[in-house]
Amino acid sequence: MFAALPEPLHALGRLFEEAGHELALVGGPVRDAVLGRSSADLDFTTSARPDETERILRAWNGGGAIWDMGRDFGTLGAAHAGVKVEITTYRTETYDPTSRKPQVAFGDTLAGDLSRRDFTVNAMAVRLPSLEFVDPFGGLGDIAAQVLRTPVDPVQSFTDDPLRMMRAARFVSQLGFVIEQDTAAAARALADRIEIVSAERVRDELVKLLLGAHPHRGLVELVDLSLAEHVLPELPAMKLEIDEHHRHKDVYEHSLTVLDQAIALESPAGSGGPVESPDLVLRLAALLHDIGKPATRRYEDGGVVTFRFHETVGAKMAAKRLKALAFDKDTIKQVARLVELHLRFHGYVDAAWTDSAVRRYVTDAGPLLQRLHRLTRADVTTRNKRKARALARAYDDLEQRIDELAAQEELDRIRPDLDGNAIMRILELPPGREVGEAYRHLLELRMEHGPLGAERAEQELRRWWEARQN
């Protein structure tokens, strides 16, 4: 399989060999090739020191650009004939227990370099140009067994770099593997060390987990390894005690099921559909949509359990947690808004909505409408098939009404029948607060009654203005 590597890589291997140095493809690209998966990254390791690596790379790409921002860690990059590579000098590392940043020292052997990798499945290499397969820690067997195991003692591995524990859960999601027993036990024992890792690095691993093929399984591992208590404590907090009469659902299991169902409703990857898979905002919203339930649970008379306003409380909690995890403002805003809106549909089930209410639903959702459709449908986890069918029919009806109104009114671009310039001209007003108030009044009329037309809108505007003057 490695003979099919692009010719420029074989040529690069020959250049290193002629210079008396070793070069090996290493890590994820090797693992993915064994699994029959493609890999965009081409990571290499070498016995050459950075200055010698740079000299060889310049000979390889004819004096083209060299990326050396990682030179202090022994890493340089280059491209040639459409092939991009990163090459790192063999390393050994020591760690300060208070930091996951290694003190880097260059190593002398490939096996030594592989020993510092996170898991055995990432500690395999292929030498170039000979294509010799190197697997000192049994990674090939662990791939066959679908097991994640550290190449060295897991306590030492996770003590050195606590982020590897997050990567374990991430690889469960991405690869569908299981974590070996001793490796999992070490992670549980050292889970609190994840707190020395920056929020940005934790976020990146969580995002990769959520966008993987098996995020449900990855999240379960995150909880079972006690990592979630430190990085996403609201998730294990949803494991509410279930009363003996089962008057409310297991919120934790429900949330994971909603996540699964939301993913199933994503548009196929590459289809150009409205919510193309994998969609991070939808998946975060599905996971966190009931995050406010533990804080709002109340026992009412007669043993009734309620979670009043959990959607508004949950929206604030979701925003706070995502901010702590250093997510960008747009993602935070969108996820929080979906959490806030996820119960709105239930009013449609209770009583038929007016056209005005449908317009408000669409307007409030804005560009999140397609995600809200999927989140709302995914939130149905009842075992009562009759109830599930009734909810599905009700939402089908709502979507049909939205489509019909959209066709009539271009609902996603609702504007008053008169713009600000027309309002200022008709009322002879300069720009200011009163123009904004008039605009909002006309927008309310537009929402309530649909398109008015310019003539009627002007009549309504003048009537409103006269009433203000009295």
Side-chain angles (χ1 to χ4, degrees):
M1 68 183 75
F2 297 104
L5 287 170
E7 172 54 31
L9 297 181
H10 295 285
L12 182 62
R14 291 190 291 270
L15 287 173
F16 272 88
E17 184 178 55
E18 291 167 4
H21 297 295
E22 298 176 349
L23 180 71
L25 182 67
V26 69
V30 179
R31 178 202 68 221
D32 288 344
V34 171
L35 288 168
R37 297 154 52 117
S38 61
S39 178
D41 300 321
L42 291 172
D43 297 326
F44 291 84
T45 188
T46 181
S47 59
R49 297 308 192 247
D51 288 347
E52 184 66 7
T53 297
E54 180 177 359
R55 186 191 67 78
I56 296 171
L57 283 174
R58 291 197 184 281
W60 178 64
N61 73 357
I66 301 292
W67 306 296
D68 64 352
M69 292 179 63
R71 182 184 289 271
D72 290 344
F73 294 93
T75 302
L76 289 89
H80 174 56
V83 177
K84 185 183 295 185
V85 301
E86 282 196 1
I87 304 176
T88 302
T89 300
Y90 294 159
R91 296 195 312 206
T92 60
E93 298 169 348
T94 59
Y95 290 81
D96 178 342
T98 63
S99 170
R100 65 172 294 269
K101 294 181 179 179
Q103 299 170 352
V104 176
F106 295 139
D108 298 312
T109 68
L110 177 57
D113 183 87
L114 294 175
S115 71
R116 68 180 184 81
R117 306 282 166 166
D118 50 9
F119 302 105
T120 60
V121 298
N122 296 326
M124 302 179 295
V126 175
R127 296 184 188 274
L128 293 178
S130 68
L131 300 183
E132 176 192 354
F133 184 69
V134 182
D135 183 20
F137 303 103
L140 193 60
D142 286 344
I143 286 180
Q146 297 190 330
V147 168
L148 292 170
R149 180 170 55 88
T150 56
V152 297
D153 177 65
V155 172
Q156 183 63 52
S157 181
F158 295 152
T159 298
D160 286 347
D161 186 356
L163 191 63
R164 289 170 177 161
M165 299 184 289
M166 285 287 296
R167 284 204 287 266
R170 186 246 289 187
F171 283 125
V172 168
S173 172
Q174 289 183 326
L175 303 176
F177 288 10
V178 298
I179 303 173
E180 183 265 337
Q181 184 175 352
D182 290 342
T183 303
R188 290 189 194 97
L190 296 168
D192 61 342
R193 279 189 56 74
I194 198 66
E195 294 186 1
I196 71 170
V197 180
S198 71
E200 291 79 6
R201 299 302 297 273
V202 169
R203 175 205 62 210
D204 290 348
E205 291 298 325
L206 181 61
V207 167
K208 291 174 183 177
L209 185 159
L210 286 170
L211 298 182
H214 312 279
H216 184 142
R217 291 174 59 179
L219 290 164
V220 168
E221 288 293 353
L222 208 63
V223 172
D224 289 351
L225 297 178
S226 300
L227 292 168
E229 295 176 15
H230 303 280
V231 301
L232 191 61
E234 295 81 1
L235 181 58
M238 286 192 282
K239 286 189 171 185
L240 298 179
E241 180 182 350
I242 305 296
D243 62 274
E244 60 179 330
H245 300 294
H246 293 270
R247 282 181 287 250
H248 66 83
K249 298 175 182 177
D250 181 333
V251 181
Y252 170 73
E253 291 294 341
H254 165 74
S255 297
L256 293 177
T257 300
V258 172
L259 173 62
D260 290 339
Q261 295 184 168
I263 291 171
L265 293 172
E266 291 175 341
S267 305
S271 68
V275 184
E276 191 171 318
S277 180
D279 189 89
L280 179 63
V281 169
L282 176 62
R283 295 185 183 199
L284 280 168
L287 179 64
L288 302 178
H289 76 286
D290 277 347
I291 194 176
K293 278 193 170 180
T296 58
R297 180 172 62 165
R298 298 291 183 271
Y299 292 98
E300 308 290 346
D301 292 341
V304 176
V305 181
T306 64
F307 303 95
R308 292 191 179 93
F309 307 114
H310 77 268
E311 69 278 17
T312 53
V313 171
K316 294 176 182 177
M317 291 175 64
K320 183 177 180 180
R321 175 51 53 196
L322 295 180
K323 182 178 180 180
L325 286 169
F327 277 87
D328 63 276
K329 291 181 179 179
D330 284 345
T331 298
I332 295 172
K333 183 178 179 180
Q334 291 177 73
V335 173
R337 187 60 169 159
L338 285 170
V339 172
E340 182 181 8
L341 292 174
H342 83 272
L343 283 185
R344 183 75 66 85
F345 162 69
H346 290 278
Y348 189 87
V349 178
D350 297 336
W353 282 359
T354 63
D355 286 352
S356 174
V358 175
R359 293 186 190 100
R360 291 182 190 281
Y361 185 80
V362 174
T363 303
D364 288 347
L368 296 171
L369 180 63
Q370 290 296 330
R371 290 188 177 105
L372 183 59
H373 284 338
R374 286 154 177 78
L375 177 59
T376 302
R377 289 184 181 277
D379 195 24
V380 178
T381 61
T382 178
R383 295 181 182 178
N384 185 323
K385 293 182 179 180
R386 180 179 297 177
K387 182 178 179 181
R389 286 195 296 268
L391 288 168
R393 284 195 298 268
Y395 208 82
D396 288 344
D397 183 68
L398 175 58
E399 284 202 61
Q400 182 177 348
R401 290 186 61 192
I402 289 171
D403 290 343
E404 290 170 352
L405 282 172
Q408 295 169 16
E409 307 173 10
E410 296 186 336
L411 193 56
D412 59 342
R413 294 193 296 274
I414 287 181
R415 297 290 185 274
D417 296 85
L418 302 173
D419 63 16
N421 289 328
I423 291 170
M424 289 188 288
R425 176 180 53 78
I426 292 168
L427 300 182
E428 298 180 353
L429 290 174
R433 178 177 56 84
E434 290 176 321
V435 177
E437 291 176 357
Y439 185 93
R440 285 189 291 274
H441 173 69
L442 290 176
L443 180 59
E444 285 293 319
L445 291 176
R446 172 70 172 78
M447 296 286 291
E448 188 67 31
H449 302 292
L452 303 177
E455 183 177 349
R456 182 183 169 191
E458 181 174 344
Q459 294 172 355
E460 295 290 347
L461 174 63
R462 292 187 183 280
R463 186 178 297 116
W464 170 82
W465 181 248
E466 290 171 4
R468 280 176 59 95
Q469 307 312 305
N470 296 331

